[in-house]
Amino acid sequence: MQPIVDHSTSTSIGINDFAMKVANVNGTGSASANGLLMQAIFRMGIPVTGKNLFPSNIQGLPTWYEIRVSKDGYNARALDYDLMIAMNSQTYDRDVKELRSGGYLLYDSSWPLDPELHRDDVNFIGVPLAELCNKHFNDPRERILMKNIAYAGALCALIQVDMKIVEELLLEKFSAKPKLMASNNTALKLGHDYATNNFQCPLPFRLARMHSNDDKILIDGNTATALGCVYSGATVAAWYPITPSTSVMDAFKGFCEQFRKDKETGKNNFCILQSEDELAAIGMVIGASWNGARAFTSTSGPGISLMNELLGLAYYAEIPAVIIDVQRVGPSTGMPTRTQQGDLMSCAYASHGDTKHILLFPANPHECFEFAVKAFDLAEYFQTPVIMLSDLDIGMNDWVVPRMKWDDNYKPNRGRVLTNEEIEALPKFQRYFNEDENFVAARTLPGVNSKGAYFVRGSGHNKYGVYTEIPDEYQEVVDRLTQKHKASAKFVPAPIIKKREGAKFGVLTLGGCEGAVLEALDLLADRGIPADFLRVRGFPFSDEVVNFLEEHEYTFVIEQNRDAQLRSLLTIETPVAKSKLRSVLVYGGFPLSARHVIEGILGQLS
């Protein structure tokens, strides 16, 4: 047995409190091994977060997978790694440098490690993964794939992942494929046995069963979004494939095939259309929504750009539409497999001329589910496009969230849709006249009653729906649209506010930044720097957001884009002085960490 000399200088790690990173090559099957580890830790009842940092090509470039175990439930990225699994020789230098002092590096010792990579303050654990797999597997491709399962087996011994749980997961995945099942079990045992027989196991940090996940699930945001669309009653979807939103429609299709088929005839009660581009997709959604269906599209930044003109049509003609924007890095093609919050301004004012849209900002998959349902209710009640802005980190990574619950008494809010009887009782139907207290006029659906027919105009029209180019008549219509948008502020999800005694300033953020910001505020409070917290969950901004900004001498606005788009929206859409808002911006494409937030705030405080 090879003793491991512990060079640790930190007491911050231990049982269920550490971070590890797997460095690999895209296209080698590492995702299966990483997912296996992530799910096993979750089933051990331990709070865990996984971040997949993958390239946009199919294979060959470096890919990383980060797993953070936090008994306290922190879910932001950790930038100091206690354990590095170095499976890509091209990134050895970078991977070794990212280890904290006293950390551990697991590498494939089938080949000697370059002496220049050695660090006196790091523990090196060599496991001959390639040799083990070459000896036990004949197929070249299988050797590559099983090498990843072998390192997962070694980790099971080193950090005490419950092997029974891992075996159960393999059984669930490969029960219908006995050959694959046997290969995976063999590889898992190879790695586990080698680590057990050659090293002191476990490492100073390890896993131990907890019960923190008893009422929680492991799910990604795109799957949760699709499920929310199903539960909301959506039956029509049109889309054009684009990373990172494609899996929204993949999941929606799967759920519809399971739940939206007529039991007697076997016919589909849904329609999913892959269009020739994003412009066509939003056109199909608007047409289906005008016809009375709950319809949506999923896209990312480049798709939003193409949809602009028709989003303006839906806004001006007052037709419901739901758009799921899973944000990625721009501009142009940008970095398709990296995360950012760069579509705020483009979505808020999408289209030419004077337009303003309702926006929803979920922070995790649980809210993706809830907000997807909310988006359809808002779109139909206010007869306007509603855009839900997720991002790649939320959408494509697995999160531990509370188990989703559903009220079977839920009834969709279809808004002011006139029935046949209501139309008959009218002396004359006038599409944009006689609005309610929220400035919403009644609409009709085609085919219900010919008396309720009207011409859908994207050109100038007056409040009766008649074509006009008279300035006063045009302004009357667009002024009501402004009032309707302002009224929706009371209906979007309320902000999350957390206050601390003695706070001197505020911190405001949105979306997936929440975890990093809350962790940072805990650490700042430990240093004697308490701050109040607000997370925006919808646009237009409610009075609660304005009051929070007004009551603080200054507020740090934390967001993931270069141009401070959230701060800009706050400056434009609230009366708060620009001088009261300070930006902390992180926009390199990787998920936010608490360290980024702390450094950004302390740098300005000093």
Side-chain angles (χ1 to χ4, degrees):
M1 179 176 292
Q2 304 173 33
I4 300 175
V5 180
D6 186 8
H7 297 289
S8 177
T9 59
S10 171
T11 59
S12 64
I13 60 170
I15 297 177
N16 297 336
D17 189 13
F18 60 91
M20 59 183 180
K21 187 172 185 177
V22 182
N24 219 310
V25 179
N26 203 37
T28 60
S30 59
S32 296
N34 299 333
L36 188 69
L37 289 167
M38 178 78 176
Q39 292 177 60
I41 297 170
F42 168 76
R43 291 196 184 184
M44 290 178 69
I46 305 166
V48 61
T49 304
K51 304 292 184 186
N52 191 13
L53 313 176
F54 60 102
S56 56
N57 73 328
I58 296 175
Q59 63 181 20
L61 289 181
T63 181
W64 292 271
Y65 191 78
E66 303 175 350
I67 295 179
R68 182 181 183 185
V69 178
S70 170
K71 63 180 184 296
D72 298 317
Y74 291 127
N75 61 15
R77 271 188 84 207
L79 296 183
D80 295 311
Y81 304 102
D82 308 295
L83 174 61
M84 180 72 67
I85 299 89
M87 300 295 292
N88 184 359
S89 60
Q90 301 299 315
T91 62
Y92 272 175
D93 184 59
R94 173 178 175 176
D95 299 331
V96 171
K97 288 178 180 177
E98 287 192 346
L99 269 170
R100 68 167 179 84
S101 180
Y104 293 77
L105 185 133
L106 171 64
Y107 70 100
D108 187 349
S109 60
S110 302
W111 301 276
L113 198 64
D114 189 332
E116 293 185 4
L117 297 174
H118 186 74
R119 277 177 55 184
D120 290 337
D121 63 338
V122 166
N123 305 284
F124 289 84
I125 306 173
V127 180
L129 297 165
E131 286 183 10
L132 291 171
C133 290
N134 289 346
K135 183 178 178 181
H136 288 84
F137 302 104
N138 296 320
D139 181 78
R141 178 61 178 168
E142 188 177 34
R143 289 171 173 175
I144 294 173
L145 298 175
M146 291 304 108
K147 190 168 72 167
N148 293 317
I149 302 300
Y151 77 63
L155 287 174
C156 288
L158 291 166
I159 59 175
Q160 290 196 327
V161 181
D162 192 321
M163 282 290 285
K164 288 185 178 179
I165 291 177
V166 176
E167 290 165 358
E168 288 172 2
L169 288 166
L170 288 176
L171 181 62
E172 291 173 14
K173 187 172 184 178
F174 298 117
S175 58
K177 301 175 181 178
K179 185 177 179 182
L180 281 174
M181 173 84 136
S183 297
N184 278 266
N185 276 320
T186 296
L188 190 73
K189 193 171 188 302
L190 288 173
H192 184 274
D193 289 352
Y194 187 91
T196 302
N197 294 331
N198 290 275
F199 302 106
Q200 293 176 347
C201 298
L203 298 177
F205 49 90
R206 62 181 177 85
L207 302 170
R209 277 187 174 272
M210 293 177 64
H211 296 282
S212 293
N213 301 331
D214 289 352
D215 197 36
K216 295 179 180 177
I217 60 172
L218 190 65
I219 192 171
D220 64 85
N222 285 354
T223 300
T225 296
L227 193 61
C229 291
V230 171
Y231 270 76
S232 74
T235 56
V236 177
W239 68 305
Y240 185 78
I242 183 172
T243 301
S245 71
T246 294
S247 57
V248 173
M249 209 57 71
D250 290 341
F252 183 70
K253 179 176 180 289
F255 290 134
C256 284
E257 289 174 344
Q258 186 176 359
F259 301 116
R260 290 251 193 277
K261 281 184 178 288
D262 187 279
K263 293 181 179 179
E264 294 181 1
T265 66
K267 291 184 177 180
N268 294 337
N269 290 324
F270 64 94
C271 179
I272 300 175
L273 301 162
Q274 182 175 330
S275 61
E276 62 268 33
D277 55 32
E278 289 90 348
L279 196 153
I282 188 63
M284 294 173 183
V285 168
I286 292 169
S289 297
W290 167 78
N291 203 46
R294 284 200 150 182
F296 77 101
T297 186
S298 59
T299 190
S300 193
I304 293 292
S305 298
L306 288 175
M307 294 178 186
N308 263 235
E309 183 177 357
L310 283 178
L311 284 172
L313 167 66
Y315 171 81
Y316 191 29
E318 299 183 66
I319 302 171
V322 170
I323 301 92
I324 307 298
D325 178 12
V326 187
Q327 298 170 93
R328 69 185 201 183
V329 174
S332 187
T333 308
M335 296 191 291
T337 59
R338 298 288 185 254
T339 195
Q340 209 172 75
Q341 296 170 324
D343 298 348
L344 306 187
M345 295 293 285
S346 63
C347 285
Y349 306 118
S351 196
H352 54 279
D354 294 321
T355 54
K356 288 184 182 179
H357 300 297
I358 297 172
L359 309 181
L360 304 181
F361 308 117
N364 53 61
H366 191 277
E367 285 192 342
C368 285
F369 173 78
E370 292 181 332
F371 287 12
V373 179
K374 186 74 172 177
F376 285 98
D377 283 348
L378 288 170
E380 290 207 298
Y381 177 75
F382 284 101
Q383 302 172 20
T384 193
V386 173
I387 307 174
M388 186 177 94
L389 287 90
S390 175
D391 60 45
L392 184 144
D393 180 30
I394 298 171
M396 294 190 71
N397 284 321
D398 288 329
W399 293 60
V400 177
V401 296
R403 189 176 297 278
M404 297 167 190
K405 298 179 181 178
W406 184 252
D407 182 1
D408 287 332
N409 295 317
Y410 165 78
K411 292 183 179 180
N413 185 350
R414 306 306 302 267
R416 298 186 66 192
V417 181
L418 298 180
T419 64
N420 179 59
E421 293 73 21
E422 289 171 328
I423 297 171
E424 279 292 341
L426 293 174
K428 184 179 181 181
F429 173 67
Q430 296 169 321
R431 173 63 180 95
Y432 304 112
F433 183 60
N434 192 25
E435 67 269 21
D436 65 10
E437 69 277 8
N438 293 308
F439 307 97
V440 181
R443 67 183 175 118
T444 60
L445 299 180
V448 173
N449 189 310
S450 59
K451 191 176 176 181
Y454 65 99
F455 190 82
V456 182
R457 296 185 183 277
S459 54
H461 55 264
N462 62 21
K463 64 183 180 181
Y464 307 112
V466 178
Y467 179 81
T468 186
E469 292 186 12
I470 299 173
D472 289 347
E473 292 184 348
Y474 164 79
Q475 288 182 211
E476 185 178 23
V477 171
V478 294
D479 285 349
R480 180 180 61 80
L481 293 179
T482 298
Q483 292 173 307
K484 184 175 72 168
H485 185 264
K486 288 180 180 177
S488 70
K490 297 178 181 178
F491 294 82
V492 301
I496 301 296
I497 299 174
K498 297 183 179 181
K499 296 197 172 183
R500 292 180 187 268
E501 186 176 350
K504 303 297 184 187
F505 59 89
V507 175
L508 182 148
T509 192
L510 83 167
C513 294
E514 180 184 53
V517 172
L518 288 175
E519 181 181 355
L521 294 187
D522 285 347
L523 295 172
L524 286 172
D526 291 341
R527 300 188 189 187
I529 310 173
D532 291 333
F533 169 84
L534 183 144
R535 174 166 63 87
V536 172
R537 300 202 296 169
F539 173 80
F541 302 122
S542 66
D543 290 341
E544 294 166 287
V545 176
V546 176
N547 293 338
F548 182 90
L549 296 175
E550 292 285 14
E551 67 189 23
H552 292 95
E553 182 180 352
Y554 53 88
T555 296
F556 289 97
V557 182
I558 319 292
E559 52 186 311
Q560 289 188 277
N561 57 71
R562 184 196 68 183
D563 294 337
Q565 294 185 32
L566 178 57
R567 184 188 181 210
S568 295
L569 268 180
L570 291 165
T571 302
I572 295 169
E573 299 291 342
T574 74
V576 177
K578 185 177 181 179
S579 59
K580 291 170 69 76
L581 305 178
R582 303 183 181 184
S583 287
V584 175
L585 307 173
V586 181
Y587 45 89
F590 285 163
L592 193 65
S593 76
R595 186 202 294 175
H596 289 135
V597 179
I598 292 170
E599 290 176 351
I601 291 176
L602 292 181
Q604 296 188 54
L605 288 178
S606 63

